[in-house]
Amino acid sequence: MKDVAARAGVGLKTVSRVVNGEPGVTPDTERRVQEAIDALGFRRNDSARVLRKGRTSSIGLVLEDLADPFYGPLSRAVEEVSRAHGSLLINGSSAEDPDREQELALALCARRVDGLVIIPAGDDHRYLEPEIRAGVATVFVDRPAGRIDADVVLSDSFGGARDGVAHLIAHGHRRIGFIGDMPRIHTAAERLRGYRAAMEDAGIPVEETWMSLGVTDPERVRRAAEEMLSGPAPVTAVFAGNNRVTVTVVRVIAEHARRVALVGFDDFELADLLQPGITVISQDPAGMGRTAAERLFQQLDGSLVVPERIELPTRLIARGSGELPPAD
Amino acid sequence: MKDVAARAGVGLKTVSRVVNGEPGVTPDTERRVQEAIDALGFRRNDSARVLRKGRTSSIGLVLEDLADPFYGPLSRAVEEVSRAHGSLLINGSSAEDPDREQELALALCARRVDGLVIIPAGDDHRYLEPEIRAGVATVFVDRPAGRIDADVVLSDSFGGARDGVAHLIAHGHRRIGFIGDMPRIHTAAERLRGYRAAMEDAGIPVEETWMSLGVTDPERVRRAAEEMLSGPAPVTAVFAGNNRVTVTVVRVIAEHARRVALVGFDDFELADLLQPGITVISQDPAGMGRTAAERLFQQLDGSLVVPERIELPTRLIARGSGELPPAD
DNA sequence: CTGAAAGCGCTTACAG
DNA sequence: CTGAAAGCGCTTACAG
């Protein structure tokens, strides 16, 4: 910038004005500065700008896995809102590891992102308190924050699971299995609670062997499903706690001779093309991302004061697999 | 930092040493500094650090659509390599718009990312020349750079498409349709070339009505597929140019009475569970992302000199839909 | 309409 | 082992 000023024969401030399109420069001066910029291949260094201005015009997104299709529409929605506000998106995956979540979130804060959208892996977010106090806007999505008071945007996991299980009960099932994620994950716990509520509402006592919680990798889910589907009194229907579980259960059922009903939490592409189509409880990941990002920028505007908990409704989409009658 | 130094009764440099874990500080001094840091809630400002050091330890990823499942594993692979090198990932979508690609890439450069991984939307990247000259490492993925010499990591689109079409020919088809993306997209053009090559190798003259190129939104693809499948001499097989096309074609075929063979470029989840399973030409998106990111960091090391073009092989996975005989 | 001075919060190079 | 000075590349506040 100094070189540009020297070459154009003007002061530093004038170059700054031209670069930022500020008014108050004669067309002639502007032309001279522009020529110097082009000749020298000058590119403004935003780091210096940030240092002076305070705002970085960037926000951070911490999610669980960049490659999980559930987070695709969510990330895109956050990106779109961010773009509309002139901000860039920095993101990374926690891989469901609380330490890695913290490391990432703090690294983003050290870069002075203006705000943070977090899909939390851990359940203690007090490490963010100094950052929030220092003015970093923060919104949690999909799961609530732990031990701090913060904005959070959730799906109605409890209600969705209850509706899905009630749907199976309405179609005649009584022995219904539940396969979900690790119980320390809020959504997994809520969906299990929904399952229990629906069973209790129908007066069906739940057997321990009908419930399986744990990591949702294919091997474990497959084992869990096969156990529930064997023995003297196998389940006649399964409620799958998320999209990854559903896909694995579909595979297991396809290999089975007996018909098994299935309702899965989360919609997924091609669910309607399988035979039968898969009945799901669908969430609105794009809506969650949009809502979260909008709240983030409202916090940044200063128009938001009290942290809120926003819960988006779920919707049951019947496609066949959830309407199968019990095999026996 | 000044406040911390004052409170601990030490110089600025000593605080800097403690914050960065540099050697040469007595345990006692270190403790005093640490106490001052905690008491004041000090958080280092990386913007200032960047300004001095030159490197930002962040890289940019410009892709087409954050929500496209094809880019999920690619993004994750880039993130993993980036993380292994201590860098953060900033990313955004071009939405297949060359102007938006340029805007994003230049915004990332203004933030002084150390390097850029780009899935290009445009075909003229001369706008990056000053940045590359200034030391920004650059690798293109999935499609080559336009009008500049740069590292690029591709799949063998030509060979993959040729193999897929040859597979259909080997199963008795002669009237084979091709539905692909806009011809200005390199991969789309290459796949069409592969289609033509396979047909020519088999001595089958191609009719204009068998080929349809354009945006791959469901409406257009559906219309194209329906046209090819109707009339007096409909195609008996379709080669789909990418995952989005394949999914739509699967839907159209499912509504048709006549059997239609199908091979799609790109593998996708559940392709094996459809009936019949979908035969695909599979790429290795994670491998592409990893290779690209590794080359980026090699450029940053200075261990790379000449831009290279790396082509990863594709693989045909037969699952049923590509082995159906012609309906007539 | 234009510019000189001070400062954002760090690190580098140097001296003690 | 420790620190004072200079500087990274901008913007802010002010004066002319």
Side-chain angles (χ1 to χ4, degrees), chain A residues 32 53 110 150 204 234 256 265 274 287:
Chain A
R32 272 197 351 265
K53 296 217 108 170
I204 305 172
H256 257 251
F265 209 108
L274 296 177

Side-chain angles (χ1 to χ4, degrees), chain B residues 43-57:
Chain B
R43 320 172 305 142
R44 181 177 70 192
N45 185 332
D46 274 10
S47 304
R49 179 158 221 252
V50 156
L51 187 56
R52 262 327 301 230
K53 298 216 105 170
R55 283 257 172 124
T56 58
S57 293

Side-chain angles (χ1 to χ4, degrees), chain A residues 8-127:
Chain A
V10 300
L12 265 179
K13 179 58 206 170
T14 301
V15 178
S16 175
R17 273 191 263 263
V18 172
V19 170
N20 294 308
E22 285 168 26
V25 182
T26 15
D28 185 58
T29 315
E30 179 167 351
R31 195 183 37 71
R32 272 197 351 265
V33 172
Q34 196 56 58
E35 273 172 15
I37 288 177
D38 294 341
L40 266 40
F42 168 75
R43 318 173 306 142
R44 181 176 71 191
N45 184 334
D46 274 10
S47 303
R49 179 157 222 253
V50 157
L51 188 55
R52 263 325 303 231
K53 296 217 108 170
R55 284 257 173 123
T56 57
S57 292
S58 59
I59 66 171
L61 171 62
V62 178
L63 32 74
E64 193 233 308
D65 179 359
L66 271 180
D68 186 328
F70 176 73
Y71 296 117
L74 196 155
S75 305
R76 182 168 51 182
V78 172
E79 184 201 6
E80 239 134 57
V81 175
S82 176
R83 185 174 134 81
H85 287 264
S87 277
L88 284 176
L89 222 210
I90 310 186
N91 58 20
S93 312
S94 69
E96 209 64 271
D97 173 353
D99 291 337
R100 197 163 146 184
E101 172 211 304
Q102 172 169 351
E103 185 194 325
L104 231 181
L106 290 179
L108 291 167
C109 290
R111 298 295 167 94
R112 292 293 189 273
V113 291
D114 300 329
L116 230 33
V117 174
I118 302 181
I119 294 165
D123 50 11
D124 186 351
H125 298 95
R126 283 175 299 179
Y127 70 86

Side-chain angles (χ1 to χ4, degrees), chain A residues 43-48 50-51 56-58 65-67 72-73 75-76 79 83 88-93 100 103-104 107-112 131 134 136 247 250-251 254 268-270 272-275, chain B residues 43-48 50-51 56-58 65-67 72-73 75-76 79 83 88-93 100 103-104 107-112 131 134 136 247 250-251 254 268-270 272-275:
Chain A
R43 318 173 306 142
R44 181 176 71 191
N45 184 334
D46 274 10
S47 303
V50 157
L51 188 55
T56 57
S57 292
S58 59
D65 179 359
L66 271 180
S75 305
R76 182 168 51 182
E79 184 201 6
R83 185 174 134 81
L88 284 176
L89 222 210
I90 310 186
N91 58 20
S93 312
R100 197 163 146 184
E103 185 194 325
L104 231 181
L108 291 167
C109 290
R111 298 295 167 94
R112 292 293 189 273
E131 310 296 335
V136 178
V247 169
V250 168
R251 289 180 195 283
F268 56 96
E269 206 175 5
L270 303 187
D272 59 322
L273 276 183
L274 296 177
Q275 289 168 352
Chain B
R43 320 172 305 142
R44 181 177 70 192
N45 185 332
D46 274 10
S47 304
V50 156
L51 187 56
T56 58
S57 293
S58 59
D65 179 0
L66 271 180
S75 304
R76 180 165 55 181
E79 183 200 7
R83 184 174 135 81
L88 284 176
L89 222 210
I90 310 184
N91 56 23
S93 312
R100 197 163 147 185
E103 185 195 326
L104 231 182
L108 291 167
C109 288
R111 298 295 166 94
R112 292 294 188 270
E131 310 297 334
V136 178
V247 169
V250 168
R251 290 182 194 283
F268 55 96
E269 207 174 4
L270 302 186
D272 58 323
L273 276 182
L274 297 177
Q275 288 168 355

Side-chain angles (χ1 to χ4, degrees), chain A residues 1-12 15 36 40:
Chain A
M1 194 149 148
K2 223 166 50 188
D3 298 341
V4 173
R7 184 175 178 121
V10 300
L12 265 179
V15 178
L40 266 40

Side-chain angles (χ1 to χ4, degrees), chain B residues 270-293:
Chain B
L270 302 186
D272 58 323
L273 276 182
L274 297 177
Q275 288 168 355
I278 307 300
T279 296
V280 299
I281 303 298
S282 107
Q283 310 186 57
D284 179 8
M288 291 171 77
R290 196 179 336 104
T291 307

Side-chain angles (χ1 to χ4, degrees), chain A residues 161-166 169 193-204:
Chain A
R162 194 192 45 200
D163 293 350
V165 175
I169 295 171
R193 205 163 66 76
Y195 164 82
R196 284 182 177 285
M199 296 295 266
E200 193 175 329
D201 288 349
I204 305 172

